[in-house]
Amino acid sequence: MMNCKSLLVFVLLTQVSLCPALAQKRQIRYRDRKPQEYKLTARASEIDPRAKEHPEIDYVFEAKGKVQDLEHAVVDTRKKPRGKLVIWLMGYNSQLFDRLSNYGFHAIQVHYANRWFSKVCRENPVGETCRGNVRLEAATGEDYSDQVSIPKPDGMKERALQFVKWLAKNNPQGEWDYYLTPDGKDLRWEDVIMSGSSHGSTTAARFAKHQKVSRVVMFCGPRDQLQNWQALPSATPTNRYFGFSHVLDGGWTGDHYCRSWELIGLNEYGPIVNVDQAKPPYGNTRRLITDFDVKNNTRRAHSSVVPGGSAGKNAKGQYIHEAVWRYLFTEPVDKVGKPVPLDPGCEKNQRDS
């Protein structure tokens, strides 16, 4: 006759055998005979034949003889996997992806119908939900806006799913199927990090309001200074949002980023910290800025917070923000700074200002 402990073990084993979802692996173990960093590319239009162009918003697969819908992925099977997938919502940045794979992440850059920004929501003043709704439609492929018509196969969410399924088939060494639900119909969003710069960081944050994800990393953003979505309830816990900006970026000097950060609620996790005057973990804050010398070049300031030609370097030619990038993507989300009041100098009501 079974005792209570034996009965409990029997019940749990029975549930696992009857429900494959409970038995799904929760830890990645590479079985690569030749461990290496894999960099993979594929065209969105070839991965999914349902994908369509949207010339009405300047979204096409080829332009001036050049492919426009190429998607990128990276994984390094020599590194200990973190079990997190970074989805990057901006142009491919090879140096950033090298760092992500070195940290132990899987990372993809998806090509989706995102060229709408200068084509719609142009009325003056723009409605306070217009851009936020377009962003959500572009991200999900669901009908949230009357300004665009972006079906599911052309939204970020479906493009990411189809790309990961393609990667699971074509790069089994990378164990990409870890990020698929048991039925293969969706990504396991709880293990997804949304990230981007500028336009991409804004959509990443808007999507995270709608869909619970593991983390959001926002470079030079979010903007949408006349929109109200930043204050909506968030499916993603607010301690999972991280931002980084240069103080000469027009989005910063115009109070666009500080406004979004505060509306999201990031002041609850510490003050704004200048990374050039502090060391990791920066008081575990979610709001980071830099004021390194960009020769008063605001365009450079905007793109200076990610690896690349505009980023800051020391006398030896080394990037000065390596520790910042690692912090943004890897600092445990449950470690948070102390709450601080809203900044009275950051203009939140920009519609009336």
Side-chain angles (χ1 to χ4, degrees):
M1 186 172 182
M2 290 186 180
N3 59 31
C4 291
K5 184 176 181 181
S6 298
L7 180 60
L8 176 61
V9 171
F10 174 77
V11 171
L12 289 175
L13 289 174
T14 302
Q15 287 180 334
V16 169
S17 64
L18 293 176
C19 183
L22 293 176
Q24 185 185 26
K25 60 182 180 180
R26 297 303 301 170
Q27 186 175 6
I28 297 177
R29 290 184 176 88
Y30 296 129
R31 300 171 179 83
D32 192 356
R33 294 182 178 180
K34 296 181 179 180
Q36 60 186 284
E37 182 185 52
Y38 292 93
K39 294 184 176 181
L40 304 108
T41 59
R43 294 188 64 174
S45 57
E46 294 178 353
I47 290 175
D48 188 351
R50 300 173 302 163
K52 303 295 182 184
E53 296 181 312
H54 293 268
E56 70 278 5
I57 55 172
D58 199 27
Y59 174 77
V60 296
F61 296 151
E62 294 186 19
K64 298 180 180 180
K66 295 183 179 180
V67 170
Q68 300 294 308
D69 66 326
L70 193 65
E71 300 182 317
H72 295 79
V74 67
V75 62
D76 193 334
T77 57
R78 299 169 299 184
K79 304 299 181 181
K80 181 179 179 180
R82 291 181 180 269
K84 300 295 181 182
L85 171 67
V86 178
I87 299 180
W88 177 251
L89 300 187
M90 208 59 188
Y92 176 59
N93 183 321
S94 62
Q95 294 189 57
L96 176 63
F97 270 46
D98 284 342
R99 282 156 179 78
L100 294 175
S101 68
N102 185 58
Y103 301 159
F105 292 117
H106 292 68
I108 62 174
Q109 175 254 340
V110 294
H111 189 267
Y112 66 106
N114 65 351
R115 298 295 299 275
W116 55 267
F117 191 74
S118 62
K119 306 294 181 181
V120 301
C121 299
R122 304 298 293 172
E123 64 271 23
N124 190 10
V126 64
E128 63 181 0
T129 64
C130 190
R131 290 176 185 152
N133 289 345
V134 177
R135 288 190 189 283
L136 193 54
E137 180 157 337
T140 63
E142 299 173 18
D143 186 16
Y144 287 100
S145 171
D146 59 5
Q147 298 278 316
V148 294
S149 181
I150 300 174
K152 183 177 179 180
D154 301 327
M156 177 279 298
K157 189 174 181 180
E158 184 70 9
R159 289 287 174 86
L161 171 62
Q162 295 302 325
F163 193 20
V164 171
K165 291 171 71 172
W166 182 92
L167 289 164
K169 179 180 179 180
N170 290 276
N171 181 230
Q173 304 94 323
E175 299 289 336
W176 295 90
D177 59 343
Y178 176 83
Y179 300 105
L180 298 172
T181 55
D183 61 9
K185 295 182 179 180
D186 202 358
L187 294 180
R188 292 196 298 101
W189 290 99
E190 183 67 31
D191 284 328
V192 170
I193 296 173
M194 299 302 304
S195 185
S197 61
S198 192
H199 181 32
S201 72
T202 310
T203 297
R206 179 66 188 96
F207 178 71
K209 282 279 184 172
H210 170 80
Q211 170 69 57
K212 186 178 183 180
V213 296
S214 178
R215 180 188 299 249
V216 189
V217 180
M218 308 170 294
F219 294 101
C220 50
R223 297 192 82 138
D224 282 0
Q225 62 271 22
L226 300 179
Q227 303 294 278
N228 65 7
W229 62 262
Q230 297 94 328
L232 292 174
S234 182
T236 300
T238 52
N239 63 304
R240 299 184 183 186
Y241 291 75
F242 294 75
F244 184 35
S245 170
H246 194 288
V247 298
L248 292 186
D249 183 330
W252 183 260
T253 58
D255 287 349
H256 304 164
Y257 306 159
C258 72
R259 171 186 181 271
S260 288
W261 292 355
E262 290 193 349
L263 291 177
I264 290 171
L266 302 192
N267 60 294
E268 293 295 322
Y269 310 108
I272 295 169
V273 171
N274 187 328
V275 298
D276 304 321
Q277 301 172 11
K279 294 181 180 181
Y282 312 111
N284 294 115
T285 189
R286 297 318 192 235
R287 300 180 294 167
L288 302 178
I289 59 171
T290 176
D291 63 357
F292 83 92
D293 187 10
V294 292
K295 310 299 181 184
N296 290 318
N297 186 332
T298 58
R299 290 177 64 96
R300 178 186 174 187
H302 184 60
S303 57
S304 69
V305 291
V306 294
S310 296
K313 295 182 179 180
N314 61 23
K316 296 181 179 180
Q318 301 167 325
Y319 286 123
I320 63 175
H321 292 141
E322 292 284 4
V324 180
W325 299 326
R326 181 178 288 274
Y327 171 84
L328 291 167
F329 284 100
T330 67
E331 182 68 8
V333 296
D334 58 347
K335 294 183 178 181
V336 299
K338 296 181 179 179
V340 297
L342 295 175
D343 178 4
C346 179
E347 180 57 59
K348 264 74 77 177
N349 185 14
Q350 299 195 2
R351 186 172 295 275
D352 296 333
S353 63

